[in-house]
Amino acid sequence: MTDSLAARKDSFEEEETDTEVKQPIVRYQKIRKQFGDLTILKEIDLDILPGEKIAVIGPSGSGKTTLARLLMTLEEPTSGMIEIDGEPLWHKKVKGKLIRADEKHLHKVRGKIGMVFQHFNLFPHMNILRNVTEAPIHVLGLSKEEAKQRAVDMLKKVGLADKVKAYPSQLSGGQQQRVAIARALVMRPKMMLFDEPTSALDPELVGEVLAVIKEIAEEGDMAMLLITHEMDFARDVADRIIFTDGGTIVEQGTPQEIFGNPKSDRLKAFLTRFRTDS
């Protein structure tokens, strides 16, 4: 075998290995979502690879938030399949057949996804430490000491180690959202989902939350799906950007492709409006 042929063979084998290793952490297959006669999502296909950072952008009503709500099991797809780490989310296999998933199955599979909402949803009667340790203790079955150590580590990561005894009402909106991020991270999910995490914040607090998310993204070992209207943030953080409109994925590509060389008229118009509004 010649050197060049051997090199090509080695390269091909490496690509095959990468393909085998990099199975999607999340897969949407032919996902359709309707509310009565209104179709929100139309036959969506989307794979998210381990460690991949995807930002979803688009106008209001384009279906991007519904993508997140289906993954969070807040809405059920009308048709199609969602898989998390190779396992069906809304279905389960019984005797070789797929049937509608029960709550126990949904709870198990969605546990692989960490979720941060627009609103912080912290327990107002619990201090910050308890807010972050409740799920590790009651869902993962960790001891109080182990959960506390994990929580303190995550609160350090988001810059709030000095707030463990504080209550949500004593924190700013940005701090509360950082606690919500720590609460999701403490579960050690395989993927983090951020649904417009800064939309409920005052403008001066947005930067501190985006900085934390960017730092987490740069660690590189966890997939992320970011539903966002922050275009500069999407450009800085995402490996791939998805543009949705009218319930479909109109265009997707790298930040350079999406912002530097948009192909569809709909994306061009959206970016023009965004720049004008900004």
Side-chain angles (χ1 to χ4, degrees):
M1 186 182 295
T2 65
D3 290 344
S4 61
L5 187 57
R8 284 167 59 195
K9 180 176 182 293
D10 289 343
S11 175
F12 177 74
E13 287 175 348
E14 286 175 8
E15 288 177 9
E16 272 198 323
T17 301
D18 288 345
T19 301
E20 290 170 2
V21 171
K22 286 204 168 186
Q23 294 302 312
I25 187 66
V26 169
R27 169 167 280 173
Y28 295 82
Q29 295 176 282
K30 303 299 179 190
I31 288 296
R32 189 174 188 86
K33 179 60 182 176
Q34 292 177 252
F35 294 100
D37 295 332
L38 180 63
T39 301
I40 304 298
L41 294 176
K42 304 172 183 176
E43 305 291 317
I44 294 290
D45 289 312
L46 175 63
D47 285 356
I48 302 171
L49 298 178
E52 189 176 21
K53 314 299 185 286
I54 292 183
V56 183
I57 64 173
S60 297
S62 65
K64 59 185 187 295
T65 293
T66 303
L67 277 175
R69 290 180 64 82
L70 293 173
L71 199 58
M72 292 186 288
T73 68
L74 297 174
E75 301 287 353
E76 184 172 359
T78 304
S79 61
M81 176 88 69
I82 296 176
E83 292 182 356
I84 296 177
D85 202 19
E87 192 170 6
L89 174 61
W90 285 99
H91 304 80
K92 66 177 183 177
K93 288 184 179 178
V94 177
K95 296 180 180 179
K97 294 183 178 180
L98 281 176
I99 65 170
R100 189 175 184 274
D102 55 20
E103 185 56 40
K104 182 179 179 181
H105 177 85
L106 289 173
H107 183 76
K108 177 175 74 80
V109 178
R110 75 182 173 216
K112 299 175 184 180
I113 307 289
M115 305 165 190
V116 177
F117 302 88
Q118 297 178 22
H119 300 283
F120 328 122
N121 298 328
L122 301 179
F123 297 112
H125 62 289
M126 295 182 184
N127 66 25
I128 298 312
L129 184 62
R130 275 200 66 194
N131 263 280
V132 180
T133 57
E134 281 293 288
I137 291 170
H138 297 291
V139 178
L140 299 183
L142 300 187
S143 68
K144 287 185 178 181
E145 193 54 43
E146 188 177 359
K148 179 181 177 181
Q149 186 56 57
R150 194 183 284 193
V152 169
D153 289 344
M154 288 303 165
L155 287 167
K156 283 181 183 176
K157 183 187 286 285
V158 300
L160 292 172
D162 60 335
K163 300 294 184 182
V164 291
K165 294 183 180 180
Y167 285 81
S169 62
Q170 297 172 307
L171 304 184
S172 69
Q175 289 173 324
Q176 289 184 60
Q177 190 62 296
R178 285 189 277 151
V179 172
I181 293 170
R183 181 179 58 184
L185 287 173
V186 81
M187 301 296 285
R188 296 184 180 171
K190 294 194 173 185
M191 175 175 158
M192 282 285 286
L193 171 58
F194 295 91
D195 181 18
E196 297 279 15
T198 61
S199 65
L201 298 177
D202 292 333
E204 66 270 18
L205 301 177
V206 168
E208 68 184 69
V209 173
L210 295 183
V212 167
I213 298 173
K214 184 176 180 180
E215 184 178 340
I216 296 165
E218 288 172 348
E219 292 176 358
D221 57 351
M222 182 171 55
M224 288 185 178
L225 183 64
L226 303 135
I227 314 295
T228 185
H229 61 277
E230 299 282 350
M231 297 298 115
D232 291 337
F233 174 69
R235 190 201 314 262
D236 289 344
V237 170
D239 302 311
R240 179 160 48 120
I241 294 179
I242 308 288
F243 171 64
T244 61
D245 193 18
T248 65
I249 295 176
V250 176
E251 198 166 335
Q252 58 181 300
T254 65
Q256 293 78 14
E257 290 167 338
I258 292 297
F259 291 109
N261 187 30
K263 295 179 175 60
S264 66
D265 289 339
R266 281 192 279 177
L267 177 55
K268 290 174 184 176
F270 173 77
L271 293 176
T272 298
R273 286 198 305 271
F274 167 75
R275 290 172 186 134
T276 302
D277 293 344
S278 298

